[in-house]
Amino acid sequence: MEKRIGKITHYYAEPNAAVLDLRDNLSVGDRVHIPGETTDFTETVKSMQIDRKDVESAGPGEDVAILVKNRVRDGDEVFLMAGQG
């Protein structure tokens, strides 16, 4: 089971970072699933930043950047994998 926690609002090709508009909590170490029209992969959150400052967790209403292994697109939804959070 997965829980929707936000959506992608921006992607930076260098350094492969995605900005998420969070609707729920997310922490370093959580595993997320990012499906989209041409996107579909899982990722363990290894680092997060808010306003270019490292954070360990973030909550609803915050925009957070995470490193991703694949390209994502604006509007792709982000789900927290079962057993996380």
Side-chain angles (χ1 to χ4, degrees):
M1 178 125 189
E2 297 179 345
K3 177 181 178 181
R4 183 180 181 272
I5 59 165
K7 70 175 181 174
I8 304 295
T9 58
H10 197 75
Y11 171 73
Y12 295 96
E14 292 294 323
N16 272 1
V19 177
L20 288 64
D21 175 18
L22 289 178
R23 298 286 181 231
D24 210 325
N25 297 323
L26 180 65
S27 299
V28 171
D30 285 349
R31 192 147 178 82
V32 294
H33 178 212
I34 306 174
E37 205 167 301
T38 58
T39 307
D40 192 5
F41 65 95
T42 59
E43 181 82 39
T44 298
V45 178
K46 295 184 175 113
S47 69
M48 295 177 22
Q49 290 189 343
I50 296 176
D51 295 328
R52 299 179 188 209
K53 293 183 177 97
D54 289 335
V55 296
E56 289 296 313
S57 62
E62 294 185 290
D63 290 330
V64 63
I66 64 170
L67 295 177
V68 291
K69 61 185 171 190
N70 296 327
R71 187 185 193 292
V72 294
R73 283 133 189 103
D74 293 1
D76 286 353
E77 294 195 354
V78 182
F79 295 85
L80 187 65
M81 303 288 288
Q84 300 291 304

Coordinates of all heavy atoms in Angstrom, one line a residue:
M1 N 0.8 -1.2 0.0 CA 0.0 0.0 0.0 C 0.9 1.2 0.0 O 1.9 1.3 0.7 CB -0.9 0.0 1.2 CG -1.8 1.2 1.4 SD -3.4 0.6 1.5 CE -4.3 2.1 1.4
E2 N 0.5 2.2 -0.8 CA 1.2 3.5 -0.9 C 0.3 4.6 -0.4 O -0.9 4.6 -0.6 CB 1.7 3.7 -2.3 CG 2.7 2.7 -2.8 CD 3.1 2.9 -4.2 OE1 2.5 3.7 -4.9 OE2 4.1 2.3 -4.6
K3 N 0.9 5.7 0.1 CA 0.2 6.9 0.5 C 0.7 8.1 -0.3 O 1.9 8.3 -0.3 CB 0.5 7.0 2.0 CG -0.2 8.3 2.6 CD 0.2 8.3 4.1 CE -0.3 9.5 4.8 NZ 0.1 9.5 6.2
R4 N -0.2 8.8 -0.9 CA 0.2 10.0 -1.7 C 0.7 11.1 -0.7 O 0.0 11.4 0.2 CB -0.9 10.5 -2.5 CG -0.6 11.7 -3.4 CD -1.8 12.2 -4.2 NE -1.4 13.3 -5.0 CZ -1.5 14.6 -4.6 NH1 -1.8 14.9 -3.4 NH2 -1.1 15.6 -5.4
I5 N 1.9 11.6 -0.9 CA 2.5 12.6 0.0 C 2.8 13.9 -0.7 O 3.2 14.9 0.0 CB 3.7 12.1 0.7 CG1 4.8 11.7 -0.2 CG2 3.3 10.9 1.7 CD1 6.2 11.5 0.4
G6 N 2.6 14.0 -2.0 CA 2.9 15.2 -2.7 C 3.1 15.0 -4.2 O 2.7 14.0 -4.8
K7 N 3.6 16.1 -4.8 CA 3.8 16.1 -6.3 C 5.0 16.9 -6.6 O 5.5 17.7 -5.9 CB 2.6 16.6 -7.0 CG 2.3 18.1 -6.9 CD 1.2 18.5 -7.8 CE 1.0 20.0 -7.7 NZ 0.0 20.5 -8.6
I8 N 5.6 16.5 -7.8 CA 6.8 17.2 -8.3 C 6.4 18.6 -8.9 O 5.4 18.7 -9.6 CB 7.4 16.4 -9.4 CG1 7.8 15.0 -8.9 CG2 8.7 17.1 -10.0 CD1 8.8 14.9 -7.8
T9 N 7.1 19.6 -8.5 CA 6.8 20.9 -9.0 C 8.0 21.4 -9.9 O 7.8 22.4 -10.6 CB 6.6 22.0 -7.9 OG1 7.7 22.0 -7.0 CG2 5.3 21.6 -7.1
H10 N 9.1 20.8 -9.8 CA 10.3 21.2 -10.6 C 11.3 20.1 -10.6 O 11.4 19.4 -9.7 CB 10.9 22.5 -10.1 CG 11.8 23.2 -11.1 ND1 11.2 23.8 -12.2 CD2 13.1 23.3 -11.2 CE1 12.2 24.3 -12.9 NE2 13.4 24.0 -12.4
Y11 N 12.1 20.1 -11.7 CA 13.2 19.1 -11.8 C 14.4 19.9 -12.3 O 14.3 20.7 -13.2 CB 12.8 18.0 -12.9 CG 14.0 17.1 -13.2 CD1 14.4 16.2 -12.3 CD2 14.6 17.2 -14.4 CE1 15.5 15.3 -12.6 CE2 15.7 16.4 -14.7 CZ 16.1 15.5 -13.8 OH 17.2 14.6 -14.1
Y12 N 15.5 19.6 -11.7 CA 16.8 20.1 -12.1 C 17.7 19.0 -12.6 O 18.0 18.1 -11.8 CB 17.5 20.8 -10.9 CG 16.8 22.0 -10.3 CD1 15.9 21.9 -9.2 CD2 16.9 23.3 -10.9 CE1 15.2 23.0 -8.7 CE2 16.2 24.4 -10.4 CZ 15.4 24.2 -9.3 OH 14.7 25.3 -8.9
A13 N 18.1 19.1 -13.9 CA 18.9 18.0 -14.5 C 20.3 17.9 -13.8 O 20.8 16.8 -13.7 CB 19.1 18.3 -16.0
E14 N 20.8 19.0 -13.4 CA 22.1 19.0 -12.6 C 21.8 19.6 -11.2 O 21.4 20.8 -11.1 CB 23.1 19.9 -13.3 CG 23.6 19.3 -14.6 CD 24.4 18.0 -14.5 OE1 25.1 17.9 -13.5 OE2 24.2 17.1 -15.3
P15 N 21.7 18.8 -10.2 CA 22.3 17.5 -10.0 C 21.3 16.4 -9.9 O 21.3 15.6 -8.9 CB 23.0 17.7 -8.7 CG 22.1 18.6 -7.9 CD 21.5 19.5 -8.9
N16 N 20.3 16.3 -10.8 CA 19.2 15.3 -10.7 C 18.4 15.5 -9.4 O 18.4 14.5 -8.6 CB 19.8 13.9 -10.8 CG 19.9 13.4 -12.3 OD1 19.6 14.1 -13.2 ND2 20.4 12.2 -12.4
A17 N 17.9 16.6 -9.3 CA 17.1 16.9 -8.1 C 15.6 17.2 -8.4 O 15.4 17.9 -9.5 CB 17.7 18.1 -7.3
A18 N 14.7 16.8 -7.6 CA 13.3 17.1 -7.8 C 12.8 17.9 -6.6 O 13.2 17.7 -5.5 CB 12.5 15.8 -7.8
V19 N 12.0 18.9 -6.9 CA 11.3 19.7 -5.9 C 9.9 19.1 -5.7 O 9.2 19.0 -6.6 CB 11.3 21.2 -6.2 CG1 10.5 22.0 -5.1 CG2 12.7 21.7 -6.4
L20 N 9.6 18.8 -4.4 CA 8.2 18.3 -4.1 C 7.4 19.3 -3.3 O 8.0 19.9 -2.4 CB 8.4 17.0 -3.2 CG 8.9 15.7 -3.8 CD1 10.3 15.8 -4.3 CD2 8.8 14.6 -2.8
D21 N 6.2 19.4 -3.6 CA 5.2 20.1 -2.8 C 4.6 19.1 -1.9 O 3.8 18.2 -2.4 CB 4.2 20.8 -3.7 CG 3.1 21.5 -2.9 OD1 3.3 21.7 -1.7 OD2 2.0 21.8 -3.5
L22 N 5.0 19.1 -0.6 CA 4.5 18.0 0.3 C 3.1 18.3 0.8 O 2.7 19.4 1.2 CB 5.5 17.9 1.5 CG 6.9 17.3 1.2 CD1 7.7 17.3 2.5 CD2 6.7 15.9 0.6
R23 N 2.4 17.2 0.9 CA 1.0 17.1 1.5 C 1.0 16.3 2.8 O 0.0 16.2 3.5 CB 0.0 16.6 0.6 CG -0.2 17.4 -0.7 CD -0.9 18.6 -0.4 NE -1.1 19.4 -1.6 CZ -0.8 20.7 -1.8 NH1 -0.3 21.3 -0.8 NH2 -1.0 21.3 -2.9
D24 N 2.2 15.7 3.1 CA 2.4 14.8 4.3 C 3.8 14.8 4.6 O 4.6 15.5 4.0 CB 1.9 13.4 4.0 CG 1.3 12.7 5.2 OD1 1.9 12.9 6.3 OD2 0.4 11.9 5.1
N25 N 4.2 14.1 5.7 CA 5.6 14.1 6.2 C 6.5 13.2 5.3 O 6.1 12.2 4.8 CB 5.6 13.6 7.6 CG 4.8 14.5 8.5 OD1 4.9 15.7 8.4 ND2 4.1 13.9 9.5
L26 N 7.7 13.6 5.2 CA 8.8 12.9 4.5 C 10.1 13.1 5.3 O 10.4 14.2 5.7 CB 8.9 13.4 3.1 CG 10.0 12.7 2.2 CD1 9.6 11.2 1.9 CD2 10.2 13.4 0.9
S27 N 10.8 12.0 5.4 CA 12.1 12.0 6.1 C 13.2 11.3 5.3 O 12.9 10.4 4.5 CB 12.0 11.3 7.5 OG 11.0 11.9 8.3
V28 N 14.4 11.7 5.6 CA 15.6 11.0 5.0 C 15.5 9.5 5.4 O 15.2 9.2 6.6 CB 16.9 11.6 5.5 CG1 18.1 10.8 5.1 CG2 17.1 13.1 5.0
G29 N 15.7 8.6 4.5 CA 15.6 7.2 4.7 C 14.3 6.6 4.2 O 14.2 5.4 4.1
D30 N 13.3 7.4 4.1 CA 12.0 6.9 3.5 C 12.1 6.5 2.1 O 13.0 7.0 1.4 CB 10.9 8.0 3.6 CG 10.4 8.3 5.0 OD1 10.6 7.5 5.9 OD2 9.7 9.3 5.2
R31 N 11.3 5.5 1.7 CA 11.3 5.1 0.3 C 10.1 5.6 -0.4 O 9.0 5.5 0.2 CB 11.3 3.5 0.3 CG 11.6 2.9 -1.1 CD 12.4 1.6 -0.9 NE 12.7 1.0 -2.2 CZ 13.7 1.4 -3.0 NH1 14.5 2.3 -2.6 NH2 13.9 0.8 -4.1
V32 N 10.3 6.2 -1.5 CA 9.2 6.8 -2.3 C 9.0 6.2 -3.6 O 10.0 5.6 -4.2 CB 9.3 8.4 -2.4 CG1 9.3 9.1 -1.1 CG2 10.6 8.7 -3.2
H33 N 7.8 6.2 -4.2 CA 7.5 5.7 -5.5 C 7.0 7.0 -6.3 O 6.2 7.7 -5.8 CB 6.4 4.7 -5.4 CG 6.0 4.2 -6.8 ND1 4.7 3.8 -7.0 CD2 6.6 4.0 -7.9 CE1 4.6 3.4 -8.3 NE2 5.8 3.5 -8.9
I34 N 7.6 7.2 -7.5 CA 7.3 8.3 -8.3 C 6.8 7.8 -9.7 O 7.6 7.5 -10.5 CB 8.5 9.3 -8.5 CG1 9.0 9.7 -7.1 CG2 8.0 10.5 -9.3 CD1 10.2 10.6 -7.2
P35 N 5.5 7.6 -9.8 CA 4.9 7.2 -11.1 C 4.5 8.5 -11.9 O 4.2 9.5 -11.3 CB 3.7 6.4 -10.7 CG 3.3 7.0 -9.5 CD 4.5 7.5 -8.8
G36 N 4.4 8.4 -13.2 CA 4.0 9.5 -14.0 C 3.7 9.0 -15.4 O 3.8 7.8 -15.6
E37 N 3.4 9.9 -16.3 CA 3.1 9.5 -17.7 C 4.2 8.7 -18.3 O 4.1 7.7 -19.0 CB 2.7 10.7 -18.5 CG 1.9 10.4 -19.7 CD 1.3 11.6 -20.3 OE1 0.6 12.4 -19.6 OE2 1.5 11.9 -21.5
T38 N 5.5 9.2 -18.0 CA 6.7 8.5 -18.6 C 7.7 8.2 -17.5 O 8.8 7.9 -17.8 CB 7.3 9.4 -19.7 OG1 7.7 10.6 -19.1 CG2 6.4 9.6 -20.8
T39 N 7.2 8.3 -16.2 CA 8.1 8.1 -15.1 C 7.5 6.9 -14.3 O 6.3 6.8 -14.1 CB 8.1 9.3 -14.2 OG1 8.4 10.5 -15.0 CG2 9.1 9.2 -13.0
D40 N 8.4 6.1 -13.7 CA 8.0 5.0 -12.8 C 9.2 4.4 -12.1 O 9.8 3.5 -12.7 CB 7.1 4.0 -13.5 CG 6.4 3.1 -12.5 OD1 6.5 3.3 -11.3 OD2 5.7 2.1 -13.0
F41 N 9.5 4.8 -10.9 CA 10.6 4.3 -10.2 C 10.5 4.5 -8.7 O 9.7 5.3 -8.3 CB 12.0 4.8 -10.7 CG 12.2 6.3 -10.5 CD1 12.9 6.7 -9.3 CD2 11.8 7.2 -11.4 CE1 13.1 8.1 -9.1 CE2 12.0 8.6 -11.2 CZ 12.6 9.0 -10.0
T42 N 11.2 3.7 -7.9 CA 11.3 3.9 -6.5 C 12.6 4.5 -6.1 O 13.6 4.3 -6.8 CB 11.0 2.6 -5.7 OG1 12.0 1.7 -6.1 CG2 9.6 2.1 -6.0
E43 N 12.7 5.2 -5.0 CA 13.9 5.9 -4.6 C 13.9 6.0 -3.1 O 12.9 6.2 -2.5 CB 13.9 7.3 -5.2 CG 15.1 8.2 -4.9 CD 16.2 7.9 -5.8 OE1 16.0 7.7 -7.0 OE2 17.3 7.9 -5.3
T44 N 15.1 5.7 -2.5 CA 15.3 6.0 -1.1 C 15.8 7.4 -0.9 O 16.7 7.8 -1.6 CB 16.3 5.0 -0.4 OG1 15.7 3.6 -0.6 CG2 16.5 5.3 1.0
V45 N 15.1 8.2 -0.1 CA 15.5 9.6 0.1 C 16.8 9.6 0.9 O 16.9 9.2 2.0 CB 14.4 10.3 0.9 CG1 14.9 11.8 1.1 CG2 13.1 10.3 0.1
K46 N 17.9 10.0 0.2 CA 19.2 10.0 0.8 C 19.6 11.4 1.4 O 20.4 11.5 2.3 CB 20.3 9.6 -0.2 CG 20.1 8.2 -0.6 CD 21.2 7.7 -1.6 CE 21.0 6.3 -1.9 NZ 20.6 6.0 -3.2
S47 N 19.0 12.4 0.9 CA 19.2 13.8 1.4 C 18.0 14.7 1.0 O 17.4 14.4 0.0 CB 20.5 14.4 0.9 OG 20.4 14.7 -0.5
M48 N 17.8 15.7 1.8 CA 16.7 16.6 1.5 C 17.1 18.0 1.8 O 17.9 18.2 2.8 CB 15.4 16.3 2.4 CG 14.8 15.0 2.1 SD 13.4 14.5 3.2 CE 12.8 16.0 3.9
Q49 N 16.6 19.0 1.1 CA 16.9 20.4 1.4 C 15.7 21.2 1.3 O 14.8 21.0 0.4 CB 18.0 20.9 0.4 CG 19.3 20.3 0.5 CD 20.4 21.0 -0.3 OE1 20.1 21.7 -1.3 NE2 21.6 20.8 0.0
I50 N 15.7 22.2 2.1 CA 14.7 23.3 2.0 C 15.4 24.6 2.0 O 16.3 24.9 2.8 CB 13.7 23.3 3.3 CG1 12.9 22.0 3.3 CG2 12.8 24.5 3.2 CD1 12.0 21.9 4.5
D51 N 15.2 25.4 0.9 CA 16.0 26.6 0.7 C 17.5 26.4 0.8 O 18.2 27.2 1.4 CB 15.5 27.7 1.8 CG 14.1 28.1 1.6 OD1 13.6 28.1 0.4 OD2 13.4 28.5 2.6
R52 N 17.9 25.3 0.2 CA 19.3 25.0 0.0 C 20.0 24.6 1.4 O 21.2 24.7 1.5 CB 20.1 26.1 -0.7 CG 19.6 26.2 -2.1 CD 20.3 27.3 -2.8 NE 19.6 27.5 -4.1 CZ 20.2 27.9 -5.2 NH1 21.5 28.2 -5.2 NH2 19.5 28.1 -6.3
K53 N 19.2 24.3 2.4 CA 19.7 23.9 3.7 C 19.3 22.4 3.9 O 18.1 22.1 3.7 CB 19.2 24.8 4.8 CG 19.7 26.2 4.7 CD 19.2 27.0 5.9 CE 19.8 28.4 5.8 NZ 19.0 29.4 5.2
D54 N 20.3 21.6 4.3 CA 20.0 20.2 4.6 C 19.0 20.1 5.8 O 19.1 20.8 6.8 CB 21.2 19.4 5.0 CG 22.1 19.3 3.8 OD1 21.7 19.3 2.6 OD2 23.4 19.1 4.0
V55 N 18.0 19.2 5.6 CA 17.0 18.9 6.6 C 16.9 17.4 6.7 O 17.1 16.6 5.7 CB 15.6 19.6 6.4 CG1 15.8 21.1 6.4 CG2 15.0 19.1 5.1
E56 N 16.4 16.9 7.9 CA 16.2 15.4 8.0 C 14.8 15.0 7.8 O 14.5 13.9 7.4 CB 16.6 15.0 9.5 CG 18.1 15.0 9.7 CD 18.8 14.0 8.9 OE1 18.4 12.8 8.8 OE2 19.8 14.4 8.3
S57 N 13.8 16.0 7.9 CA 12.4 15.7 7.6 C 11.7 17.0 7.2 O 12.2 18.1 7.5 CB 11.8 15.1 8.8 OG 11.8 16.0 9.9
A58 N 10.6 16.9 6.6 CA 9.7 18.0 6.2 C 8.3 17.6 6.3 O 8.0 16.4 6.3 CB 10.1 18.5 4.8
G59 N 7.4 18.6 6.3 CA 6.0 18.3 6.5 C 5.1 19.0 5.5 O 5.6 19.6 4.6
P60 N 3.8 18.8 5.7 CA 2.8 19.4 4.8 C 3.0 20.9 4.5 O 3.3 21.6 5.5 CB 1.5 19.1 5.5 CG 1.7 18.0 6.4 CD 3.2 18.1 6.8
G61 N 2.9 21.3 3.3 CA 3.0 22.7 2.9 C 4.4 23.1 2.6 O 4.6 24.2 2.1
E62 N 5.4 22.2 2.8 CA 6.8 22.6 2.6 C 7.2 22.1 1.2 O 6.7 21.1 0.7 CB 7.7 22.0 3.6 CG 7.5 22.6 5.0 CD 8.5 22.2 6.0 OE1 8.4 21.0 6.4 OE2 9.3 23.0 6.4
D63 N 8.1 22.9 0.5 CA 8.7 22.5 -0.7 C 10.1 22.0 -0.4 O 10.9 22.7 0.2 CB 8.8 23.7 -1.7 CG 7.5 24.2 -2.2 OD1 6.5 23.3 -2.3 OD2 7.3 25.4 -2.5
V64 N 10.3 20.8 -0.7 CA 11.6 20.1 -0.4 C 12.2 19.6 -1.7 O 11.5 19.1 -2.6 CB 11.4 19.0 0.7 CG1 10.5 17.9 0.1 CG2 12.7 18.5 1.2
A65 N 13.6 19.7 -1.7 CA 14.3 19.1 -2.8 C 15.0 17.8 -2.4 O 15.5 17.7 -1.3 CB 15.4 20.1 -3.3
I66 N 14.8 16.8 -3.3 CA 15.5 15.5 -3.0 C 16.3 15.1 -4.3 O 15.9 15.5 -5.4 CB 14.5 14.4 -2.6 CG1 13.6 14.1 -3.8 CG2 13.8 14.7 -1.4 CD1 12.7 12.8 -3.6
L67 N 17.3 14.4 -4.1 CA 18.1 13.8 -5.2 C 17.3 12.6 -5.8 O 16.8 11.8 -5.0 CB 19.5 13.4 -4.8 CG 20.4 14.5 -4.4 CD1 21.8 14.0 -3.9 CD2 20.6 15.5 -5.5
V68 N 17.2 12.5 -7.1 CA 16.6 11.4 -7.7 C 17.5 10.7 -8.8 O 18.3 11.4 -9.3 CB 15.2 11.8 -8.4 CG1 14.2 12.2 -7.3 CG2 15.4 12.9 -9.3
K69 N 17.3 9.4 -9.0 CA 18.2 8.7 -9.9 C 17.7 8.9 -11.4 O 18.5 8.6 -12.3 CB 18.3 7.2 -9.5 CG 16.9 6.5 -9.6 CD 17.1 5.1 -9.1 CE 15.8 4.4 -8.9 NZ 15.9 3.1 -8.2
N70 N 16.4 9.2 -11.6 CA 15.9 9.3 -12.9 C 15.2 10.7 -13.1 O 14.8 11.3 -12.1 CB 14.8 8.2 -13.2 CG 15.5 6.9 -13.2 OD1 16.6 6.7 -13.6 ND2 14.7 5.9 -12.8
R71 N 15.0 11.1 -14.3 CA 14.3 12.3 -14.6 C 12.8 12.2 -14.2 O 12.2 11.2 -14.3 CB 14.3 12.6 -16.1 CG 13.8 14.0 -16.5 CD 13.7 14.2 -18.0 NE 13.5 15.5 -18.3 CZ 12.4 16.2 -18.2 NH1 11.4 15.6 -17.5 NH2 12.2 17.5 -18.5
V72 N 12.3 13.3 -13.6 CA 10.9 13.4 -13.2 C 10.3 14.6 -13.9 O 11.0 15.4 -14.5 CB 10.7 13.5 -11.7 CG1 11.2 12.2 -11.0 CG2 11.4 14.7 -11.1
R73 N 9.0 14.6 -13.9 CA 8.3 15.7 -14.6 C 7.4 16.5 -13.7 O 6.8 15.8 -12.8 CB 7.6 15.2 -15.8 CG 8.5 14.9 -17.0 CD 8.2 13.5 -17.6 NE 9.2 13.1 -18.5 CZ 10.2 12.3 -18.3 NH1 10.3 11.7 -17.1 NH2 11.1 11.9 -19.2
D74 N 7.2 17.7 -13.9 CA 6.3 18.5 -13.2 C 4.9 17.8 -13.2 O 4.4 17.4 -14.3 CB 6.1 19.9 -13.7 CG 7.4 20.8 -13.6 OD1 8.4 20.2 -13.1 OD2 7.4 21.9 -14.0
G75 N 4.3 17.7 -12.0 CA 3.0 17.1 -11.9 C 3.0 15.6 -11.6 O 2.0 15.0 -11.2
D76 N 4.2 15.0 -11.7 CA 4.3 13.6 -11.2 C 4.0 13.5 -9.7 O 4.4 14.4 -9.0 CB 5.7 13.0 -11.4 CG 6.1 12.7 -12.9 OD1 5.2 12.8 -13.8 OD2 7.3 12.4 -13.1
E77 N 3.2 12.5 -9.4 CA 2.9 12.4 -8.0 C 3.9 11.6 -7.2 O 4.6 10.8 -7.8 CB 1.5 11.7 -7.8 CG 0.4 12.6 -8.4 CD -1.0 12.2 -8.0 OE1 -1.2 11.2 -7.3 OE2 -1.9 13.0 -8.3
V78 N 4.0 11.8 -5.9 CA 5.0 11.1 -5.1 C 4.2 10.4 -4.0 O 3.4 10.9 -3.3 CB 6.0 12.1 -4.5 CG1 7.0 11.4 -3.6 CG2 6.6 13.0 -5.5
F79 N 4.6 9.1 -3.8 CA 3.9 8.2 -2.9 C 4.9 7.7 -1.9 O 6.0 7.3 -2.3 CB 3.2 7.0 -3.6 CG 2.1 7.4 -4.5 CD1 2.3 7.8 -5.8 CD2 0.8 7.5 -4.0 CE1 1.3 8.2 -6.6 CE2 -0.3 7.8 -4.8 CZ 0.0 8.2 -6.1
L80 N 4.6 7.6 -0.6 CA 5.4 7.0 0.4 C 5.1 5.5 0.4 O 3.9 5.1 0.4 CB 5.0 7.5 1.8 CG 5.9 7.1 2.9 CD1 7.3 7.6 2.8 CD2 5.3 7.6 4.2
M81 N 6.2 4.7 0.3 CA 6.0 3.2 0.2 C 5.5 2.7 1.6 O 5.8 3.2 2.6 CB 7.3 2.5 -0.2 CG 7.9 3.0 -1.5 SD 7.0 2.4 -2.9 CE 7.5 0.7 -2.9
A82 N 4.8 1.5 1.5 CA 4.3 0.9 2.7 C 5.4 0.6 3.7 O 6.5 0.3 3.4 CB 3.6 -0.4 2.3
G83 N 5.0 0.8 5.0 CA 6.0 0.5 6.1 C 6.9 1.7 6.4 O 7.8 1.6 7.2
Q84 N 6.6 2.8 5.7 CA 7.5 4.0 5.9 C 6.7 5.0 6.7 O 5.5 5.0 6.8 CB 7.9 4.6 4.6 CG 8.7 3.7 3.7 CD 10.1 3.4 4.3 OE1 10.8 4.3 4.5 NE2 10.4 2.1 4.5
G85 N 7.4 6.0 7.3 CA 6.7 7.1 7.9 C 6.3 6.8 9.2 O 5.6 6.6 10.0

